[in-house]
Amino acid sequence: MAVTLNPDKEVVKTVREGLKRTGGYCPCRLARTEEYKCMCEEFKKQIADPDFEGFCHCMLYYKDKTNA
């Protein structure tokens, strides 16, 4: 399992700008709660799932379950 940044540099740039603007909270969410602080609780749970492969909600991170 490996977690990497989205290979699309423009997406990474946009999301990181949003994170700066929101003080580290997911820029895709309206609520500013601890569960949405990057890396959000939702993605942490997805990382823990051995069958999950894909992007976090804001598309910044990608979990590849086949890559060690």
Side-chain angles (χ1 to χ4, degrees), residues 10-63:
E10 193 60 35
V11 169
V12 172
K13 178 184 174 201
T14 300
V15 174
R16 284 187 167 164
E17 288 170 355
L19 288 168
K20 287 179 189 175
R21 189 178 61 254
T22 63
Y25 294 96
C26 181
C28 304
R29 308 280 189 167
L30 294 177
R32 300 291 182 248
T33 62
E34 284 305 306
E35 68 183 296
Y36 297 136
K37 192 87 164 179
C38 190
M39 175 178 293
C40 69
E41 290 299 317
E42 177 184 13
F43 193 58
K44 288 177 185 176
K45 289 177 184 173
Q46 290 171 326
I47 290 170
D49 178 355
D51 293 325
F52 175 80
E53 181 170 354
F55 287 100
C56 68
H57 185 266
C58 68
M59 304 286 290
L60 180 61
Y61 295 109
Y62 183 80
K63 178 194 172 195

Side-chain angles (χ1 to χ4, degrees), residues 1-4 50 52-53 62-68:
M1 186 248 348
V3 176
T4 58
F52 175 80
E53 181 170 354
Y62 183 80
K63 178 194 172 195
D64 182 351
K65 70 178 182 177
T66 61
N67 190 6

